[in-house]
């Protein structure tokens, strides 16, 4: 009886980690509820200086231009800045965005990678835990 509990608890924890990782993976930061999807052109790059433990570093974010459903052109800066080493947008790139129809300056970039780090860790931890328990159960 105790052996089944010892086996079941890590598997349950692994399944919980896996489930949370899959949920987080599908939820990008800055998600716009009932937003409108469109293509946007990267027209420039905004730069800022950020600080970590009194050490400065450069961050970047794309400036985009897109056309709304009302045929208006909007230029906006993406609200989330990333370290310049992680920045991968170039002027002229076409990216998929979802903007708020009530505030066209508020948008998020589809597949911007913002949710991949924590979700990848949770999914990997969950799968590793389940595999480790199965291997140990088979071996012993």
């Amino acid at each position: 009886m105790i052996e089944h509990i010892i086996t079941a608890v890590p598997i349950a924890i692994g399944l919980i980690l896996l489930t949370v990782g899959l949920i987080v993976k599908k939820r990008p930061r800055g998600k716009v509820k009932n937003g409108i999807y469109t293509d946007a052109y990267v027209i420039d790059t905004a730069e800022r200086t950020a600080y970590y433990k009194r050490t400065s570093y450069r961050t970047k974010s794309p400036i985009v231009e897109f056309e709304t459903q009302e045929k208006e052109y909007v230029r906006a800066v993406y609200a989330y800045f990333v370290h310049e080493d992680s920045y991968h947008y170039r002027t002229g790139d076409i990216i998929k965005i979802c903007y708020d129809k009530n505030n066209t300056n508020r948008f998020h970039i589809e597949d911007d990678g913002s949710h991949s780090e924590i979700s990848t860790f949770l999914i990997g931890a969950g799968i590793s835990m389940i595999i480790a328990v199965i291997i140990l159960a088979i071996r012993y």
Side-chain angles (χ1 to χ4, degrees), residues 85-111:
D85 293 341
S86 301
Y87 185 78
H88 63 274
Y89 300 105
R90 295 190 177 165
T91 302
D93 285 353
I94 299 173
I95 56 176
K96 185 70 131 177
I97 67 165
C98 181
Y99 70 91
D100 185 344
K101 62 183 173 186
N102 298 323
N103 179 3
T104 54
N105 286 322
R106 184 171 176 262
F107 67 95
H108 77 267
I109 299 173
E110 290 293 297
D111 300 327

mmCIF file of all heavy atoms in Angstrom, residues 85-111:
data_model
loop_
_atom_site.group_PDB
_atom_site.id
_atom_site.type_symbol
_atom_site.label_atom_id
_atom_site.label_comp_id
_atom_site.label_asym_id
_atom_site.label_seq_id
_atom_site.Cartn_x
_atom_site.Cartn_y
_atom_site.Cartn_z
ATOM 1 N N ASP A 85 20.426 41.263 -26.390
ATOM 2 C CA ASP A 85 20.932 39.983 -26.899
ATOM 3 C C ASP A 85 19.802 39.040 -27.305
ATOM 4 O O ASP A 85 20.006 38.140 -28.119
ATOM 5 C CB ASP A 85 21.815 39.297 -25.852
ATOM 6 C CG ASP A 85 23.103 40.067 -25.587
ATOM 7 O OD1 ASP A 85 23.475 40.909 -26.434
ATOM 8 O OD2 ASP A 85 23.721 39.833 -24.532
ATOM 9 N N SER A 86 18.610 39.227 -26.719
ATOM 10 C CA SER A 86 17.463 38.362 -27.016
ATOM 11 C C SER A 86 16.557 38.962 -28.089
ATOM 12 O O SER A 86 15.616 38.319 -28.527
ATOM 13 C CB SER A 86 16.630 38.135 -25.756
ATOM 14 O OG SER A 86 17.412 37.542 -24.750
ATOM 15 N N TYR A 87 16.820 40.175 -28.488
ATOM 16 C CA TYR A 87 15.971 40.871 -29.455
ATOM 17 C C TYR A 87 16.231 40.328 -30.857
ATOM 18 O O TYR A 87 17.372 40.235 -31.297
ATOM 19 C CB TYR A 87 16.260 42.377 -29.405
ATOM 20 C CG TYR A 87 15.358 43.200 -30.280
ATOM 21 C CD1 TYR A 87 14.072 43.493 -29.880
ATOM 22 C CD2 TYR A 87 15.792 43.673 -31.505
ATOM 23 C CE1 TYR A 87 13.236 44.255 -30.677
ATOM 24 C CE2 TYR A 87 14.973 44.434 -32.311
ATOM 25 C CZ TYR A 87 13.695 44.716 -31.895
ATOM 26 O OH TYR A 87 12.862 45.465 -32.688
ATOM 27 N N HIS A 88 15.171 39.960 -31.584
ATOM 28 C CA HIS A 88 15.366 39.352 -32.899
ATOM 29 C C HIS A 88 14.553 39.990 -34.030
ATOM 30 O O HIS A 88 14.547 39.483 -35.139
ATOM 31 C CB HIS A 88 15.065 37.849 -32.826
ATOM 32 C CG HIS A 88 13.656 37.532 -32.470
ATOM 33 N ND1 HIS A 88 13.224 37.454 -31.170
ATOM 34 C CD2 HIS A 88 12.574 37.304 -33.236
ATOM 35 C CE1 HIS A 88 11.938 37.174 -31.161
ATOM 36 N NE2 HIS A 88 11.520 37.088 -32.391
ATOM 37 N N TYR A 89 13.858 41.093 -33.778
ATOM 38 C CA TYR A 89 13.071 41.728 -34.831
ATOM 39 C C TYR A 89 13.942 42.669 -35.653
ATOM 40 O O TYR A 89 14.843 43.307 -35.125
ATOM 41 C CB TYR A 89 11.897 42.508 -34.233
ATOM 42 C CG TYR A 89 10.955 41.632 -33.449
ATOM 43 C CD1 TYR A 89 10.948 41.656 -32.060
ATOM 44 C CD2 TYR A 89 10.090 40.760 -34.104
ATOM 45 C CE1 TYR A 89 10.102 40.843 -31.339
ATOM 46 C CE2 TYR A 89 9.237 39.940 -33.392
ATOM 47 C CZ TYR A 89 9.242 39.989 -32.009
ATOM 48 O OH TYR A 89 8.405 39.178 -31.299
ATOM 49 N N ARG A 90 13.631 42.755 -36.925
ATOM 50 C CA ARG A 90 14.375 43.647 -37.821
ATOM 51 C C ARG A 90 13.393 44.532 -38.571
ATOM 52 O O ARG A 90 12.264 44.126 -38.849
ATOM 53 C CB ARG A 90 15.192 42.838 -38.818
ATOM 54 C CG ARG A 90 16.251 42.036 -38.124
ATOM 55 C CD ARG A 90 17.199 41.434 -39.089
ATOM 56 N NE ARG A 90 18.206 40.745 -38.284
ATOM 57 C CZ ARG A 90 19.024 39.877 -38.758
ATOM 58 N NH1 ARG A 90 18.998 39.572 -40.011
ATOM 59 N NH2 ARG A 90 19.895 39.302 -37.961
ATOM 60 N N THR A 91 13.848 45.707 -38.908
ATOM 61 C CA THR A 91 13.021 46.622 -39.685
ATOM 62 C C THR A 91 12.587 45.940 -40.979
ATOM 63 O O THR A 91 13.411 45.346 -41.674
ATOM 64 C CB THR A 91 13.798 47.915 -39.999
ATOM 65 O OG1 THR A 91 14.203 48.504 -38.762
ATOM 66 C CG2 THR A 91 12.944 48.896 -40.777
ATOM 67 N N GLY A 92 11.287 45.991 -41.241
ATOM 68 C CA GLY A 92 10.737 45.342 -42.431
ATOM 69 C C GLY A 92 10.084 44.004 -42.152
ATOM 70 O O GLY A 92 9.349 43.487 -43.003
ATOM 71 N N ASP A 93 10.338 43.416 -40.978
ATOM 72 C CA ASP A 93 9.695 42.150 -40.627
ATOM 73 C C ASP A 93 8.183 42.331 -40.556
ATOM 74 O O ASP A 93 7.690 43.376 -40.126
ATOM 75 C CB ASP A 93 10.174 41.641 -39.267
ATOM 76 C CG ASP A 93 11.572 41.051 -39.301
ATOM 77 O OD1 ASP A 93 12.126 40.902 -40.398
ATOM 78 O OD2 ASP A 93 12.099 40.749 -38.217
ATOM 79 N N ILE A 94 7.458 41.309 -40.981
ATOM 80 C CA ILE A 94 6.004 41.293 -40.839
ATOM 81 C C ILE A 94 5.701 40.318 -39.714
ATOM 82 O O ILE A 94 6.125 39.161 -39.749
ATOM 83 C CB ILE A 94 5.312 40.845 -42.134
ATOM 84 C CG1 ILE A 94 5.648 41.811 -43.259
ATOM 85 C CG2 ILE A 94 3.805 40.752 -41.923
ATOM 86 C CD1 ILE A 94 5.162 41.370 -44.625
ATOM 87 N N ILE A 95 4.981 40.804 -38.690
ATOM 88 C CA ILE A 95 4.665 39.971 -37.529
ATOM 89 C C ILE A 95 3.158 39.950 -37.305
ATOM 90 O O ILE A 95 2.440 40.869 -37.709
ATOM 91 C CB ILE A 95 5.384 40.471 -36.256
ATOM 92 C CG1 ILE A 95 5.053 41.932 -35.977
ATOM 93 C CG2 ILE A 95 6.882 40.267 -36.371
ATOM 94 C CD1 ILE A 95 5.655 42.473 -34.697
ATOM 95 N N LYS A 96 2.689 38.895 -36.686
ATOM 96 C CA LYS A 96 1.271 38.743 -36.370
ATOM 97 C C LYS A 96 1.031 39.344 -34.993
ATOM 98 O O LYS A 96 1.705 38.980 -34.032
ATOM 99 C CB LYS A 96 0.903 37.259 -36.384
ATOM 100 C CG LYS A 96 -0.551 36.989 -36.194
ATOM 101 C CD LYS A 96 -1.309 37.414 -37.389
ATOM 102 C CE LYS A 96 -2.256 36.345 -37.857
ATOM 103 N NZ LYS A 96 -3.050 36.784 -38.967
ATOM 104 N N ILE A 97 0.067 40.272 -34.908
ATOM 105 C CA ILE A 97 -0.272 40.890 -33.630
ATOM 106 C C ILE A 97 -1.761 40.761 -33.367
ATOM 107 O O ILE A 97 -2.547 40.431 -34.263
ATOM 108 C CB ILE A 97 0.122 42.391 -33.580
ATOM 109 C CG1 ILE A 97 -0.712 43.208 -34.554
ATOM 110 C CG2 ILE A 97 1.608 42.565 -33.828
ATOM 111 C CD1 ILE A 97 -0.645 44.697 -34.317
ATOM 112 N N CYS A 98 -2.138 41.036 -32.126
ATOM 113 C CA CYS A 98 -3.538 41.096 -31.729
ATOM 114 C C CYS A 98 -3.702 42.402 -30.955
ATOM 115 O O CYS A 98 -3.087 42.576 -29.909
ATOM 116 C CB CYS A 98 -3.893 39.897 -30.854
ATOM 117 S SG CYS A 98 -5.612 39.879 -30.328
ATOM 118 N N TYR A 99 -4.507 43.335 -31.496
ATOM 119 C CA TYR A 99 -4.639 44.638 -30.854
ATOM 120 C C TYR A 99 -6.016 44.814 -30.222
ATOM 121 O O TYR A 99 -6.983 44.155 -30.589
ATOM 122 C CB TYR A 99 -4.335 45.779 -31.829
ATOM 123 C CG TYR A 99 -5.356 45.992 -32.930
ATOM 124 C CD1 TYR A 99 -6.425 46.870 -32.755
ATOM 125 C CD2 TYR A 99 -5.241 45.338 -34.148
ATOM 126 C CE1 TYR A 99 -7.354 47.074 -33.761
ATOM 127 C CE2 TYR A 99 -6.160 45.538 -35.156
ATOM 128 C CZ TYR A 99 -7.217 46.409 -34.957
ATOM 129 O OH TYR A 99 -8.143 46.608 -35.961
ATOM 130 N N ASP A 100 -6.074 45.719 -29.272
ATOM 131 C CA ASP A 100 -7.308 46.057 -28.569
ATOM 132 C C ASP A 100 -8.067 47.068 -29.418
ATOM 133 O O ASP A 100 -7.549 48.135 -29.729
ATOM 134 C CB ASP A 100 -6.964 46.649 -27.199
ATOM 135 C CG ASP A 100 -8.162 46.935 -26.329
ATOM 136 O OD1 ASP A 100 -9.307 46.981 -26.850
ATOM 137 O OD2 ASP A 100 -7.967 47.118 -25.120
ATOM 138 N N LYS A 101 -9.304 46.739 -29.800
ATOM 139 C CA LYS A 101 -10.057 47.648 -30.672
ATOM 140 C C LYS A 101 -10.420 48.958 -29.969
ATOM 141 O O LYS A 101 -10.651 49.961 -30.628
ATOM 142 C CB LYS A 101 -11.306 46.970 -31.218
ATOM 143 C CG LYS A 101 -12.314 46.551 -30.176
ATOM 144 C CD LYS A 101 -13.479 45.836 -30.807
ATOM 145 C CE LYS A 101 -14.388 45.279 -29.735
ATOM 146 N NZ LYS A 101 -15.440 44.468 -30.288
ATOM 147 N N ASN A 102 -10.431 48.960 -28.628
ATOM 148 C CA ASN A 102 -10.739 50.177 -27.880
ATOM 149 C C ASN A 102 -9.504 51.042 -27.627
ATOM 150 O O ASN A 102 -9.622 52.218 -27.334
ATOM 151 C CB ASN A 102 -11.399 49.835 -26.545
ATOM 152 C CG ASN A 102 -12.720 49.118 -26.740
ATOM 153 O OD1 ASN A 102 -13.474 49.427 -27.667
ATOM 154 N ND2 ASN A 102 -12.991 48.143 -25.899
ATOM 155 N N ASN A 103 -8.328 50.430 -27.684
ATOM 156 C CA ASN A 103 -7.070 51.146 -27.488
ATOM 157 C C ASN A 103 -6.050 50.525 -28.437
ATOM 158 O O ASN A 103 -5.363 49.566 -28.083
ATOM 159 C CB ASN A 103 -6.609 51.034 -26.028
ATOM 160 C CG ASN A 103 -5.298 51.736 -25.786
ATOM 161 O OD1 ASN A 103 -4.727 52.366 -26.668
ATOM 162 N ND2 ASN A 103 -4.795 51.612 -24.566
ATOM 163 N N THR A 104 -5.956 51.067 -29.619
ATOM 164 C CA THR A 104 -5.139 50.444 -30.669
ATOM 165 C C THR A 104 -3.643 50.451 -30.351
ATOM 166 O O THR A 104 -2.887 49.715 -30.973
ATOM 167 C CB THR A 104 -5.376 51.140 -32.026
ATOM 168 O OG1 THR A 104 -5.144 52.542 -31.883
ATOM 169 C CG2 THR A 104 -6.792 50.879 -32.517
ATOM 170 N N ASN A 105 -3.213 51.243 -29.385
ATOM 171 C CA ASN A 105 -1.802 51.218 -28.982
ATOM 172 C C ASN A 105 -1.490 50.020 -28.099
ATOM 173 O O ASN A 105 -0.331 49.747 -27.808
ATOM 174 C CB ASN A 105 -1.421 52.503 -28.251
ATOM 175 C CG ASN A 105 -1.300 53.667 -29.206
ATOM 176 O OD1 ASN A 105 -0.823 53.501 -30.323
ATOM 177 N ND2 ASN A 105 -1.736 54.833 -28.787
ATOM 178 N N ARG A 106 -2.502 49.316 -27.631
ATOM 179 C CA ARG A 106 -2.312 48.130 -26.780
ATOM 180 C C ARG A 106 -2.427 46.888 -27.662
ATOM 181 O O ARG A 106 -3.469 46.648 -28.270
ATOM 182 C CB ARG A 106 -3.369 48.105 -25.680
ATOM 183 C CG ARG A 106 -3.181 46.972 -24.723
ATOM 184 C CD ARG A 106 -4.128 47.108 -23.520
ATOM 185 N NE ARG A 106 -3.973 45.952 -22.692
ATOM 186 C CZ ARG A 106 -4.783 44.894 -22.734
ATOM 187 N NH1 ARG A 106 -5.826 44.896 -23.522
ATOM 188 N NH2 ARG A 106 -4.552 43.853 -21.964
ATOM 189 N N PHE A 107 -1.348 46.135 -27.739
ATOM 190 C CA PHE A 107 -1.339 44.929 -28.562
ATOM 191 C C PHE A 107 -0.342 43.931 -28.006
ATOM 192 O O PHE A 107 0.477 44.269 -27.153
ATOM 193 C CB PHE A 107 -0.998 45.270 -30.020
ATOM 194 C CG PHE A 107 0.406 45.765 -30.218
ATOM 195 C CD1 PHE A 107 1.412 44.903 -30.586
ATOM 196 C CD2 PHE A 107 0.714 47.114 -30.039
ATOM 197 C CE1 PHE A 107 2.711 45.360 -30.768
ATOM 198 C CE2 PHE A 107 2.000 47.586 -30.227
ATOM 199 C CZ PHE A 107 3.000 46.706 -30.593
ATOM 200 N N HIS A 108 -0.440 42.707 -28.446
ATOM 201 C CA HIS A 108 0.610 41.740 -28.136
ATOM 202 C C HIS A 108 1.030 41.047 -29.426
ATOM 203 O O HIS A 108 0.267 40.970 -30.381
ATOM 204 C CB HIS A 108 0.181 40.733 -27.057
ATOM 205 C CG HIS A 108 -0.738 39.661 -27.537
ATOM 206 N ND1 HIS A 108 -2.096 39.754 -27.458
ATOM 207 C CD2 HIS A 108 -0.482 38.455 -28.105
ATOM 208 C CE1 HIS A 108 -2.652 38.662 -27.951
ATOM 209 N NE2 HIS A 108 -1.696 37.869 -28.354
ATOM 210 N N ILE A 109 2.255 40.602 -29.415
ATOM 211 C CA ILE A 109 2.811 39.906 -30.566
ATOM 212 C C ILE A 109 2.588 38.416 -30.368
ATOM 213 O O ILE A 109 2.945 37.856 -29.331
ATOM 214 C CB ILE A 109 4.312 40.214 -30.729
ATOM 215 C CG1 ILE A 109 4.524 41.702 -30.948
ATOM 216 C CG2 ILE A 109 4.911 39.390 -31.871
ATOM 217 C CD1 ILE A 109 5.979 42.126 -30.958
ATOM 218 N N GLU A 110 1.988 37.793 -31.344
ATOM 219 C CA GLU A 110 1.794 36.353 -31.279
ATOM 220 C C GLU A 110 3.160 35.665 -31.339
ATOM 221 O O GLU A 110 4.027 36.090 -32.102
ATOM 222 C CB GLU A 110 0.940 35.873 -32.455
ATOM 223 C CG GLU A 110 -0.501 36.308 -32.356
ATOM 224 C CD GLU A 110 -1.218 35.651 -31.196
ATOM 225 O OE1 GLU A 110 -1.362 34.416 -31.190
ATOM 226 O OE2 GLU A 110 -1.627 36.395 -30.289
ATOM 227 N N ASP A 111 3.333 34.652 -30.552
ATOM 228 C CA ASP A 111 4.577 33.872 -30.533
ATOM 229 C C ASP A 111 5.813 34.735 -30.293
ATOM 230 O O ASP A 111 6.828 34.589 -30.961
ATOM 231 C CB ASP A 111 4.753 33.082 -31.835
ATOM 232 C CG ASP A 111 3.615 32.116 -32.073
ATOM 233 O OD1 ASP A 111 3.075 31.581 -31.087
ATOM 234 O OD2 ASP A 111 3.259 31.911 -33.244
#
